[in-house]
């Protein structure tokens, strides 16, 4: 597509709904004759279907034709093939009769590859009609382009500001001010410089048009531009530079001046004239320029111009700004005499250090507030807590909901913040221990809890596992009974128990408030099961005297090696919130039941 066609299409898309915009001619549809249609994209079709090749029809009528091929042969499709191969048929016939008609024609060799002459004649006629429609549409589009151009000319004529005119249409703008009807330079049309504001994205296209017109020059920036015939450009730049000081000009004026003309900027503040001698008394304090000076090559031009002035320094730096969008400072450029610039930069750096220290303290206070807000359920629970009866077992007193804190997980992994990790302990249903649901951020699953390693192993051994459905109880060599769903203490399991004890420590703990644990679960990020098959996911925690908090450790060797993860538990409720999954669901036999 040519560029003018792209512009035309863009114009129609953007302005098509604007009041007064000439209606766009509709693109031609397919040429039609009865059930037949034709266009360049789809060729000849009948009822919206193309002609199927003979080989495809033969495959359709084979005894072993696929069900998908048969399903695709609907009544409209079969009717279209009969028309495209000029096979006579009854319009009122059902799909079975039509299918038989087409099958007989195919097997009787009445279908001609490429279609019969009568259908080819229809295609030729429709193709000629469609070509004529396209030709008529092309003429209508050419006429519409002229109408659109006239509409834009009328809109342009209503504007009375050169800046608005340039932003609206550069072609009309240059025709009005700088070229004649044939496109040749016309200096007498606008002998004086033209000053434009806020061209933005039109800056580069305008510069290209200026470059294409002999003896026409411009000083172009996105916000201020001067266009003039060669002898008068400098005078126009002087006028435009002075206009930056007008009260209605928005933005930081020194920055705008430096962006527009670095030489005139230096002359205004630091020299006795344009490209003159240094004048240190003219501007003693450094001039601060905003971030706009970094655009394109503006900083380099300013630095290059300043390098010709002794003792004048241009330096990138940061100004302290409390509440800045990013950090405690914003980018700046300082222009001034070297001693004052260095003194200003040092002062700013010291202030930025103080602001950053204040911000760090503020962030720490906010973090403490967040922690206190997270800990509030525990604090409230602890205040209202009443000691349970002394005759209750420690596992019964353990029942409830806890929030968990693990510094290593919190610092290194997302989703492991304080308050997001939990442990929910349920009332024991076994004499050996209790079962809990846990969510430790990276992994969630089921945890077995007991007051000794022996009890923990017995609790684990009595957990139901997946049954194959057999009514007979037959050992399968894995240590499981398929009928009872209970684990048998085979030799390998007894060896595992010893292995577990070595992981946990001695058989009996001197600390009566210690709870031993073993866990299995599913990684939250990948949904990969962490199976209970090697007795390595173990740990323990010790309750405090009031049994409201606990500190402990657990192992996840596949993830963290031999290093235990230290954690703290804080009780927030007497009732657990989450129900644990069956322990057996994290065993090898249940691997595929999770998917």
């Amino acid at each position: 597509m040519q560029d003018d066609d792209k512009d035309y299409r863009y114009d129609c898309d953007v302005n098509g709904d604007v009041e007064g915009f000439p209606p766009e001619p509709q693109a031609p549809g397919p040429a039609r004759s009865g059930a037949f249609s034709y266009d360049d994209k789809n060729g000849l079709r009948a009822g919206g279907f193309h002609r199927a090749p003979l080989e495809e029809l033969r495959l359709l009528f084979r005894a072993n034709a696929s069900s998908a091929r048969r399903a695709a042969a609907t009544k409209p499709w079969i009717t279209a093939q009969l028309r495209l191969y000029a096979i006579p048929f009854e319009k009122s016939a059902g799909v079975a009769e039509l299918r038989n008609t087409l099958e007989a024609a195919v097997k009787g060799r009445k279908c001609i590859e490429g279609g019969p002459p009568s259908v080819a004649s229809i295609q030729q006629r429709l193709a000629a009609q469609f070509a004529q429609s396209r030709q008529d549409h092309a003429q209508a589009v050419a006429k519409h382009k002229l109408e659109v151009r006239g509409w834009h000319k009328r809109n342009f004529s209503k504007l009375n500001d050169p800046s608005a005119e340039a932003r609206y249409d550069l072609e009309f703008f240059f025709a009005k001010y700088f070229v004649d009807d044939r496109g040749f330079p016309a200096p007498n049309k606008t002998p004086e410089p033209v000053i434009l504001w806020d061209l933005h994205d039109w800056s580069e296209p305008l510069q290209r048009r200026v470059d294409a017109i002999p003896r026409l020059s411009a000083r172009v920036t996105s916000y201020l531009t001067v266009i003039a015939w060669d002898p008068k450009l400098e005078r126009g730049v002087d006028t435009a530079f002075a206009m930056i000081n007008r009260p209605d000009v928005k933005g930081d004026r020194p920055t705008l001046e430096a962006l527009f003309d670095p030489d005139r900027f230096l002359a205004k503040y630091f020299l006795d004239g344009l490209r003159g001698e240094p004048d240190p008394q003219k501007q003693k304090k450094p001039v601060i320029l905003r971030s706009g000076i970094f655009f394109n090559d503006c900083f380099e031009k300013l630095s290059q111009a300043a390098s010709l002035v002794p003792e004048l320094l241009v330096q990138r730096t940061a100004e302290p700004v409390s509440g800045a969008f990013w950090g405690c400072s914003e980018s700046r450029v300082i222009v001034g005499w070297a001693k004052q610039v260095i003194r200003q930069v040092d002062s700013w750096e010291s202030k930025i250090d103080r602001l950053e220290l204040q911000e760090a303290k503020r962030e720490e206070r906010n973090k403490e507030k967040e922690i206190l807000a997270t800990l509030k359920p525990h604090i409230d629970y602890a205040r209202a807590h009443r000691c349970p009866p002394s005759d209750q077992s420690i596992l019964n007193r353990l029942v409830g909901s806890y929030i968990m804190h693990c510094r290593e997980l919190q610092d290194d992994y997302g989703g492991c913040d304080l308050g997001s990790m939990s442990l929910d302990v349920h009332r024991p249903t076994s004499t050996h221990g209790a079962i809990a649901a846990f969510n430790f951020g990276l992994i969630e699953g089921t945890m077995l809890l007991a007051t000794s390693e022996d009890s923990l192993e017995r609790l684990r051994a009595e957990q139901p596992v997946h049954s194959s459905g057999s009514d007979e109880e037959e050992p399968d060599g894995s240590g499981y009974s398929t009928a009872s769903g209970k684990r048998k203490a085979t030799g390998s399991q007894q060896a595992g128990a010893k292995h577990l004890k070595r992981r946990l420590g001695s058989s009996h703990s001197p600390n009566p408030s210690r709870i031993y644990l073993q866990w299995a679960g599913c990684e939250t990020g990948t949904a990969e099961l962490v199976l209970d098959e090697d007795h390595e996911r173990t740990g323990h925690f010790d309750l405090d005297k009031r049994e409201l908090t606990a500190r402990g450790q657990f192992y996840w060797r596949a993830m963290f090696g031999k290093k235990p993860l230290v954690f703290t538990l804080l009780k927030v409720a007497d009732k657990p919130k989450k129900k644990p999954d069956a322990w057996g669901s994290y065993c090898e036999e249940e691997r595929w039941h999770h998917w």
Side-chain angles (χ1 to χ4, degrees), residues 381 395-402 422-428 434-438 571-580:
Y381 174 82
L395 291 175
N396 278 296
R397 300 195 301 272
L398 188 65
V399 173
S401 184
Y402 299 77
S422 61
L423 178 71
D424 291 282
V425 182
H426 287 252
R427 192 165 299 281
I435 300 179
F438 73 88
K571 196 167 188 177
V572 296
D574 288 325
K575 293 183 179 180
K577 298 177 181 179
K578 185 178 180 181
K579 184 179 180 180

PDB file of all heavy atoms in Angstrom, residues 381 395-402 422-428 434-438 571-580:
ATOM      1  N   TYR A 381      -5.704 -12.289  70.479  1.00  0.00           N
ATOM      2  CA  TYR A 381      -5.954 -13.638  71.004  1.00  0.00           C
ATOM      3  C   TYR A 381      -5.226 -13.837  72.339  1.00  0.00           C
ATOM      4  O   TYR A 381      -5.795 -14.383  73.300  1.00  0.00           O
ATOM      5  CB  TYR A 381      -5.495 -14.687  69.993  1.00  0.00           C
ATOM      6  CG  TYR A 381      -5.581 -16.100  70.520  1.00  0.00           C
ATOM      7  CD1 TYR A 381      -6.780 -16.809  70.500  1.00  0.00           C
ATOM      8  CD2 TYR A 381      -4.451 -16.729  71.056  1.00  0.00           C
ATOM      9  CE1 TYR A 381      -6.852 -18.104  71.003  1.00  0.00           C
ATOM     10  CE2 TYR A 381      -4.511 -18.009  71.556  1.00  0.00           C
ATOM     11  CZ  TYR A 381      -5.723 -18.702  71.525  1.00  0.00           C
ATOM     12  OH  TYR A 381      -5.797 -19.975  72.025  1.00  0.00           O
ATOM     13  N   LEU A 395      -1.413 -32.075  72.871  1.00  0.00           N
ATOM     14  CA  LEU A 395      -1.922 -32.060  71.502  1.00  0.00           C
ATOM     15  C   LEU A 395      -3.318 -31.461  71.442  1.00  0.00           C
ATOM     16  O   LEU A 395      -3.680 -30.794  70.455  1.00  0.00           O
ATOM     17  CB  LEU A 395      -1.913 -33.469  70.907  1.00  0.00           C
ATOM     18  CG  LEU A 395      -0.522 -34.051  70.636  1.00  0.00           C
ATOM     19  CD1 LEU A 395      -0.637 -35.498  70.153  1.00  0.00           C
ATOM     20  CD2 LEU A 395       0.214 -33.222  69.595  1.00  0.00           C
ATOM     21  N   ASN A 396      -4.130 -31.679  72.453  1.00  0.00           N
ATOM     22  CA  ASN A 396      -5.452 -31.051  72.489  1.00  0.00           C
ATOM     23  C   ASN A 396      -5.334 -29.550  72.712  1.00  0.00           C
ATOM     24  O   ASN A 396      -6.114 -28.764  72.167  1.00  0.00           O
ATOM     25  CB  ASN A 396      -6.306 -31.679  73.589  1.00  0.00           C
ATOM     26  CG  ASN A 396      -6.944 -32.977  73.135  1.00  0.00           C
ATOM     27  OD1 ASN A 396      -7.771 -32.997  72.227  1.00  0.00           O
ATOM     28  ND2 ASN A 396      -6.553 -34.089  73.765  1.00  0.00           N
ATOM     29  N   ARG A 397      -4.351 -29.143  73.518  1.00  0.00           N
ATOM     30  CA  ARG A 397      -4.155 -27.714  73.731  1.00  0.00           C
ATOM     31  C   ARG A 397      -3.543 -27.045  72.510  1.00  0.00           C
ATOM     32  O   ARG A 397      -3.640 -25.829  72.338  1.00  0.00           O
ATOM     33  CB  ARG A 397      -3.260 -27.494  74.953  1.00  0.00           C
ATOM     34  CG  ARG A 397      -3.829 -28.057  76.261  1.00  0.00           C
ATOM     35  CD  ARG A 397      -3.098 -27.498  77.462  1.00  0.00           C
ATOM     36  NE  ARG A 397      -1.673 -27.786  77.457  1.00  0.00           N
ATOM     37  CZ  ARG A 397      -1.114 -28.878  77.974  1.00  0.00           C
ATOM     38  NH1 ARG A 397      -1.882 -29.814  78.546  1.00  0.00           N
ATOM     39  NH2 ARG A 397       0.183 -29.044  77.953  1.00  0.00           N
ATOM     40  N   LEU A 398      -2.922 -27.854  71.668  1.00  0.00           N
ATOM     41  CA  LEU A 398      -2.278 -27.330  70.457  1.00  0.00           C
ATOM     42  C   LEU A 398      -3.285 -26.956  69.370  1.00  0.00           C
ATOM     43  O   LEU A 398      -2.991 -26.160  68.474  1.00  0.00           O
ATOM     44  CB  LEU A 398      -1.296 -28.376  69.907  1.00  0.00           C
ATOM     45  CG  LEU A 398      -0.390 -27.968  68.750  1.00  0.00           C
ATOM     46  CD1 LEU A 398       0.586 -26.878  69.195  1.00  0.00           C
ATOM     47  CD2 LEU A 398       0.379 -29.187  68.243  1.00  0.00           C
ATOM     48  N   VAL A 399      -4.496 -27.498  69.450  1.00  0.00           N
ATOM     49  CA  VAL A 399      -5.499 -27.306  68.396  1.00  0.00           C
ATOM     50  C   VAL A 399      -5.761 -25.812  68.185  1.00  0.00           C
ATOM     51  O   VAL A 399      -5.905 -25.047  69.142  1.00  0.00           O
ATOM     52  CB  VAL A 399      -6.809 -28.029  68.766  1.00  0.00           C
ATOM     53  CG1 VAL A 399      -7.910 -27.685  67.770  1.00  0.00           C
ATOM     54  CG2 VAL A 399      -6.581 -29.526  68.821  1.00  0.00           C
ATOM     55  N   GLY A 400      -5.830 -25.402  66.921  1.00  0.00           N
ATOM     56  CA  GLY A 400      -6.134 -24.015  66.608  1.00  0.00           C
ATOM     57  C   GLY A 400      -5.461 -23.567  65.320  1.00  0.00           C
ATOM     58  O   GLY A 400      -4.901 -24.362  64.562  1.00  0.00           O
ATOM     59  N   SER A 401      -5.526 -22.254  65.081  1.00  0.00           N
ATOM     60  CA  SER A 401      -4.963 -21.660  63.867  1.00  0.00           C
ATOM     61  C   SER A 401      -3.776 -20.786  64.236  1.00  0.00           C
ATOM     62  O   SER A 401      -3.831 -20.029  65.211  1.00  0.00           O
ATOM     63  CB  SER A 401      -6.037 -20.826  63.152  1.00  0.00           C
ATOM     64  OG  SER A 401      -5.546 -20.329  61.930  1.00  0.00           O
ATOM     65  N   TYR A 402      -2.698 -20.865  63.446  1.00  0.00           N
ATOM     66  CA  TYR A 402      -1.455 -20.151  63.711  1.00  0.00           C
ATOM     67  C   TYR A 402      -1.015 -19.400  62.454  1.00  0.00           C
ATOM     68  O   TYR A 402      -1.260 -19.854  61.325  1.00  0.00           O
ATOM     69  CB  TYR A 402      -0.332 -21.116  64.111  1.00  0.00           C
ATOM     70  CG  TYR A 402      -0.589 -21.904  65.368  1.00  0.00           C
ATOM     71  CD1 TYR A 402      -1.445 -23.004  65.363  1.00  0.00           C
ATOM     72  CD2 TYR A 402       0.030 -21.562  66.566  1.00  0.00           C
ATOM     73  CE1 TYR A 402      -1.678 -23.739  66.516  1.00  0.00           C
ATOM     74  CE2 TYR A 402      -0.196 -22.291  67.734  1.00  0.00           C
ATOM     75  CZ  TYR A 402      -1.049 -23.384  67.701  1.00  0.00           C
ATOM     76  OH  TYR A 402      -1.279 -24.113  68.839  1.00  0.00           O
ATOM     77  N   SER A 422       0.589 -20.100  57.173  1.00  0.00           N
ATOM     78  CA  SER A 422      -0.289 -20.516  58.277  1.00  0.00           C
ATOM     79  C   SER A 422      -0.127 -21.997  58.586  1.00  0.00           C
ATOM     80  O   SER A 422       0.382 -22.782  57.779  1.00  0.00           O
ATOM     81  CB  SER A 422      -1.751 -20.231  57.905  1.00  0.00           C
ATOM     82  OG  SER A 422      -2.121 -20.970  56.753  1.00  0.00           O
ATOM     83  N   LEU A 423      -0.600 -22.355  59.780  1.00  0.00           N
ATOM     84  CA  LEU A 423      -0.672 -23.747  60.223  1.00  0.00           C
ATOM     85  C   LEU A 423      -1.998 -23.903  60.970  1.00  0.00           C
ATOM     86  O   LEU A 423      -2.313 -23.106  61.866  1.00  0.00           O
ATOM     87  CB  LEU A 423       0.502 -24.087  61.150  1.00  0.00           C
ATOM     88  CG  LEU A 423       0.508 -25.506  61.719  1.00  0.00           C
ATOM     89  CD1 LEU A 423       0.841 -26.519  60.624  1.00  0.00           C
ATOM     90  CD2 LEU A 423       1.502 -25.621  62.874  1.00  0.00           C
ATOM     91  N   ASP A 424      -2.788 -24.903  60.585  1.00  0.00           N
ATOM     92  CA  ASP A 424      -4.082 -25.155  61.216  1.00  0.00           C
ATOM     93  C   ASP A 424      -4.096 -26.576  61.778  1.00  0.00           C
ATOM     94  O   ASP A 424      -4.120 -27.553  61.010  1.00  0.00           O
ATOM     95  CB  ASP A 424      -5.206 -24.966  60.198  1.00  0.00           C
ATOM     96  CG  ASP A 424      -5.375 -23.509  59.800  1.00  0.00           C
ATOM     97  OD1 ASP A 424      -5.961 -22.757  60.584  1.00  0.00           O
ATOM     98  OD2 ASP A 424      -4.893 -23.120  58.711  1.00  0.00           O
ATOM     99  N   VAL A 425      -4.051 -26.658  63.104  1.00  0.00           N
ATOM    100  CA  VAL A 425      -3.949 -27.953  63.789  1.00  0.00           C
ATOM    101  C   VAL A 425      -5.351 -28.415  64.197  1.00  0.00           C
ATOM    102  O   VAL A 425      -6.100 -27.665  64.841  1.00  0.00           O
ATOM    103  CB  VAL A 425      -3.053 -27.845  65.029  1.00  0.00           C
ATOM    104  CG1 VAL A 425      -2.912 -29.218  65.697  1.00  0.00           C
ATOM    105  CG2 VAL A 425      -1.685 -27.277  64.654  1.00  0.00           C
ATOM    106  N   HIS A 426      -5.684 -29.666  63.849  1.00  0.00           N
ATOM    107  CA  HIS A 426      -6.990 -30.228  64.171  1.00  0.00           C
ATOM    108  C   HIS A 426      -6.897 -31.146  65.392  1.00  0.00           C
ATOM    109  O   HIS A 426      -5.827 -31.658  65.731  1.00  0.00           O
ATOM    110  CB  HIS A 426      -7.539 -30.983  62.958  1.00  0.00           C
ATOM    111  CG  HIS A 426      -8.001 -30.062  61.865  1.00  0.00           C
ATOM    112  ND1 HIS A 426      -9.309 -29.853  61.566  1.00  0.00           N
ATOM    113  CD2 HIS A 426      -7.292 -29.261  61.026  1.00  0.00           C
ATOM    114  CE1 HIS A 426      -9.412 -28.985  60.573  1.00  0.00           C
ATOM    115  NE2 HIS A 426      -8.188 -28.610  60.225  1.00  0.00           N
ATOM    116  N   ARG A 427      -8.040 -31.348  66.026  1.00  0.00           N
ATOM    117  CA  ARG A 427      -8.102 -32.163  67.222  1.00  0.00           C
ATOM    118  C   ARG A 427      -7.653 -33.590  66.894  1.00  0.00           C
ATOM    119  O   ARG A 427      -8.029 -34.142  65.861  1.00  0.00           O
ATOM    120  CB  ARG A 427      -9.511 -32.168  67.793  1.00  0.00           C
ATOM    121  CG  ARG A 427      -9.622 -32.766  69.201  1.00  0.00           C
ATOM    122  CD  ARG A 427     -10.950 -32.409  69.828  1.00  0.00           C
ATOM    123  NE  ARG A 427     -11.100 -30.965  69.959  1.00  0.00           N
ATOM    124  CZ  ARG A 427     -10.551 -30.235  70.915  1.00  0.00           C
ATOM    125  NH1 ARG A 427      -9.792 -30.833  71.846  1.00  0.00           N
ATOM    126  NH2 ARG A 427     -10.737 -28.932  70.974  1.00  0.00           N
ATOM    127  N   PRO A 428      -6.850 -34.194  67.754  1.00  0.00           N
ATOM    128  CA  PRO A 428      -6.335 -35.539  67.469  1.00  0.00           C
ATOM    129  C   PRO A 428      -7.468 -36.565  67.352  1.00  0.00           C
ATOM    130  O   PRO A 428      -8.425 -36.554  68.131  1.00  0.00           O
ATOM    131  CB  PRO A 428      -5.436 -35.840  68.677  1.00  0.00           C
ATOM    132  CG  PRO A 428      -5.122 -34.509  69.277  1.00  0.00           C
ATOM    133  CD  PRO A 428      -6.301 -33.645  69.012  1.00  0.00           C
ATOM    134  N   ALA A 434      -1.636 -35.686  66.038  1.00  0.00           N
ATOM    135  CA  ALA A 434      -2.651 -34.868  65.378  1.00  0.00           C
ATOM    136  C   ALA A 434      -2.210 -34.575  63.948  1.00  0.00           C
ATOM    137  O   ALA A 434      -1.043 -34.767  63.582  1.00  0.00           O
ATOM    138  CB  ALA A 434      -2.862 -33.570  66.150  1.00  0.00           C
ATOM    139  N   ILE A 435      -3.156 -34.080  63.168  1.00  0.00           N
ATOM    140  CA  ILE A 435      -2.897 -33.749  61.761  1.00  0.00           C
ATOM    141  C   ILE A 435      -3.220 -32.273  61.552  1.00  0.00           C
ATOM    142  O   ILE A 435      -4.183 -31.746  62.123  1.00  0.00           O
ATOM    143  CB  ILE A 435      -3.737 -34.623  60.817  1.00  0.00           C
ATOM    144  CG1 ILE A 435      -3.407 -36.098  61.037  1.00  0.00           C
ATOM    145  CG2 ILE A 435      -3.483 -34.251  59.359  1.00  0.00           C
ATOM    146  CD1 ILE A 435      -4.215 -37.033  60.171  1.00  0.00           C
ATOM    147  N   ALA A 436      -2.411 -31.602  60.705  1.00  0.00           N
ATOM    148  CA  ALA A 436      -2.586 -30.169  60.465  1.00  0.00           C
ATOM    149  C   ALA A 436      -2.490 -29.870  58.975  1.00  0.00           C
ATOM    150  O   ALA A 436      -1.867 -30.612  58.205  1.00  0.00           O
ATOM    151  CB  ALA A 436      -1.536 -29.370  61.233  1.00  0.00           C
ATOM    152  N   ALA A 437      -3.125 -28.769  58.576  1.00  0.00           N
ATOM    153  CA  ALA A 437      -2.957 -28.220  57.222  1.00  0.00           C
ATOM    154  C   ALA A 437      -1.986 -27.056  57.311  1.00  0.00           C
ATOM    155  O   ALA A 437      -2.078 -26.230  58.223  1.00  0.00           O
ATOM    156  CB  ALA A 437      -4.301 -27.757  56.672  1.00  0.00           C
ATOM    157  N   PHE A 438      -1.043 -26.957  56.363  1.00  0.00           N
ATOM    158  CA  PHE A 438      -0.080 -25.870  56.414  1.00  0.00           C
ATOM    159  C   PHE A 438       0.035 -25.194  55.048  1.00  0.00           C
ATOM    160  O   PHE A 438      -0.205 -25.805  54.001  1.00  0.00           O
ATOM    161  CB  PHE A 438       1.297 -26.362  56.884  1.00  0.00           C
ATOM    162  CG  PHE A 438       2.045 -27.173  55.857  1.00  0.00           C
ATOM    163  CD1 PHE A 438       2.877 -26.563  54.921  1.00  0.00           C
ATOM    164  CD2 PHE A 438       1.918 -28.554  55.819  1.00  0.00           C
ATOM    165  CE1 PHE A 438       3.573 -27.312  53.986  1.00  0.00           C
ATOM    166  CE2 PHE A 438       2.608 -29.311  54.883  1.00  0.00           C
ATOM    167  CZ  PHE A 438       3.436 -28.690  53.959  1.00  0.00           C
ATOM    168  N   LYS A 571      -0.155 -18.127  67.661  1.00  0.00           N
ATOM    169  CA  LYS A 571      -1.531 -18.608  67.680  1.00  0.00           C
ATOM    170  C   LYS A 571      -2.501 -17.435  67.572  1.00  0.00           C
ATOM    171  O   LYS A 571      -2.343 -16.413  68.238  1.00  0.00           O
ATOM    172  CB  LYS A 571      -1.801 -19.393  68.960  1.00  0.00           C
ATOM    173  CG  LYS A 571      -3.071 -20.250  68.891  1.00  0.00           C
ATOM    174  CD  LYS A 571      -3.133 -21.247  70.042  1.00  0.00           C
ATOM    175  CE  LYS A 571      -4.290 -22.224  69.841  1.00  0.00           C
ATOM    176  NZ  LYS A 571      -4.345 -23.248  70.908  1.00  0.00           N
ATOM    177  N   VAL A 572      -3.540 -17.611  66.719  1.00  0.00           N
ATOM    178  CA  VAL A 572      -4.513 -16.547  66.502  1.00  0.00           C
ATOM    179  C   VAL A 572      -5.944 -16.996  66.783  1.00  0.00           C
ATOM    180  O   VAL A 572      -6.851 -16.164  66.855  1.00  0.00           O
ATOM    181  CB  VAL A 572      -4.424 -16.008  65.058  1.00  0.00           C
ATOM    182  CG1 VAL A 572      -3.079 -15.354  64.808  1.00  0.00           C
ATOM    183  CG2 VAL A 572      -4.683 -17.103  64.041  1.00  0.00           C
ATOM    184  N   ALA A 573      -6.187 -18.306  66.919  1.00  0.00           N
ATOM    185  CA  ALA A 573      -7.552 -18.778  67.170  1.00  0.00           C
ATOM    186  C   ALA A 573      -7.506 -20.186  67.745  1.00  0.00           C
ATOM    187  O   ALA A 573      -6.537 -20.934  67.539  1.00  0.00           O
ATOM    188  CB  ALA A 573      -8.378 -18.770  65.883  1.00  0.00           C
ATOM    189  N   ASP A 574      -8.564 -20.554  68.468  1.00  0.00           N
ATOM    190  CA  ASP A 574      -8.660 -21.900  69.040  1.00  0.00           C
ATOM    191  C   ASP A 574      -9.208 -22.920  68.046  1.00  0.00           C
ATOM    192  O   ASP A 574      -9.104 -24.119  68.296  1.00  0.00           O
ATOM    193  CB  ASP A 574      -9.566 -21.880  70.277  1.00  0.00           C
ATOM    194  CG  ASP A 574      -8.888 -21.189  71.453  1.00  0.00           C
ATOM    195  OD1 ASP A 574      -7.654 -21.332  71.583  1.00  0.00           O
ATOM    196  OD2 ASP A 574      -9.580 -20.503  72.217  1.00  0.00           O
ATOM    197  N   LYS A 575      -9.806 -22.427  66.961  1.00  0.00           N
ATOM    198  CA  LYS A 575     -10.357 -23.330  65.954  1.00  0.00           C
ATOM    199  C   LYS A 575      -9.539 -23.243  64.669  1.00  0.00           C
ATOM    200  O   LYS A 575      -9.233 -22.139  64.201  1.00  0.00           O
ATOM    201  CB  LYS A 575     -11.814 -22.982  65.668  1.00  0.00           C
ATOM    202  CG  LYS A 575     -12.752 -23.231  66.833  1.00  0.00           C
ATOM    203  CD  LYS A 575     -14.193 -22.925  66.437  1.00  0.00           C
ATOM    204  CE  LYS A 575     -15.151 -23.209  67.601  1.00  0.00           C
ATOM    205  NZ  LYS A 575     -16.564 -22.919  67.220  1.00  0.00           N
ATOM    206  N   PRO A 576      -9.190 -24.372  64.077  1.00  0.00           N
ATOM    207  CA  PRO A 576      -8.455 -24.345  62.809  1.00  0.00           C
ATOM    208  C   PRO A 576      -9.357 -23.836  61.682  1.00  0.00           C
ATOM    209  O   PRO A 576     -10.573 -24.039  61.693  1.00  0.00           O
ATOM    210  CB  PRO A 576      -8.054 -25.812  62.596  1.00  0.00           C
ATOM    211  CG  PRO A 576      -9.071 -26.591  63.366  1.00  0.00           C
ATOM    212  CD  PRO A 576      -9.443 -25.752  64.549  1.00  0.00           C
ATOM    213  N   LYS A 577      -8.746 -23.164  60.705  1.00  0.00           N
ATOM    214  CA  LYS A 577      -9.509 -22.596  59.597  1.00  0.00           C
ATOM    215  C   LYS A 577      -9.518 -23.497  58.361  1.00  0.00           C
ATOM    216  O   LYS A 577     -10.484 -23.514  57.617  1.00  0.00           O
ATOM    217  CB  LYS A 577      -8.926 -21.235  59.213  1.00  0.00           C
ATOM    218  CG  LYS A 577      -8.996 -20.205  60.329  1.00  0.00           C
ATOM    219  CD  LYS A 577      -8.345 -18.895  59.908  1.00  0.00           C
ATOM    220  CE  LYS A 577      -8.391 -17.870  61.029  1.00  0.00           C
ATOM    221  NZ  LYS A 577      -7.737 -16.596  60.639  1.00  0.00           N
ATOM    222  N   LYS A 578      -8.452 -24.226  58.146  1.00  0.00           N
ATOM    223  CA  LYS A 578      -8.326 -25.011  56.924  1.00  0.00           C
ATOM    224  C   LYS A 578      -8.241 -26.491  57.251  1.00  0.00           C
ATOM    225  O   LYS A 578      -7.555 -26.889  58.194  1.00  0.00           O
ATOM    226  CB  LYS A 578      -7.079 -24.580  56.134  1.00  0.00           C
ATOM    227  CG  LYS A 578      -6.941 -25.264  54.787  1.00  0.00           C
ATOM    228  CD  LYS A 578      -5.714 -24.740  54.044  1.00  0.00           C
ATOM    229  CE  LYS A 578      -5.565 -25.436  52.688  1.00  0.00           C
ATOM    230  NZ  LYS A 578      -4.369 -24.965  51.959  1.00  0.00           N
ATOM    231  N   LYS A 579      -8.935 -27.294  56.452  1.00  0.00           N
ATOM    232  CA  LYS A 579      -8.937 -28.736  56.659  1.00  0.00           C
ATOM    233  C   LYS A 579      -7.787 -29.376  55.873  1.00  0.00           C
ATOM    234  O   LYS A 579      -7.589 -29.070  54.696  1.00  0.00           O
ATOM    235  CB  LYS A 579     -10.269 -29.323  56.193  1.00  0.00           C
ATOM    236  CG  LYS A 579     -10.403 -30.820  56.450  1.00  0.00           C
ATOM    237  CD  LYS A 579     -11.768 -31.309  55.987  1.00  0.00           C
ATOM    238  CE  LYS A 579     -11.913 -32.819  56.228  1.00  0.00           C
ATOM    239  NZ  LYS A 579     -13.237 -33.311  55.771  1.00  0.00           N
ATOM    240  N   PRO A 580      -7.027 -30.266  56.498  1.00  0.00           N
ATOM    241  CA  PRO A 580      -5.896 -30.890  55.784  1.00  0.00           C
ATOM    242  C   PRO A 580      -6.370 -31.955  54.806  1.00  0.00           C
ATOM    243  O   PRO A 580      -7.395 -32.612  55.014  1.00  0.00           O
ATOM    244  CB  PRO A 580      -5.058 -31.499  56.910  1.00  0.00           C
ATOM    245  CG  PRO A 580      -6.057 -31.792  57.990  1.00  0.00           C
ATOM    246  CD  PRO A 580      -7.094 -30.710  57.908  1.00  0.00           C
TER     247      PRO A 580
END
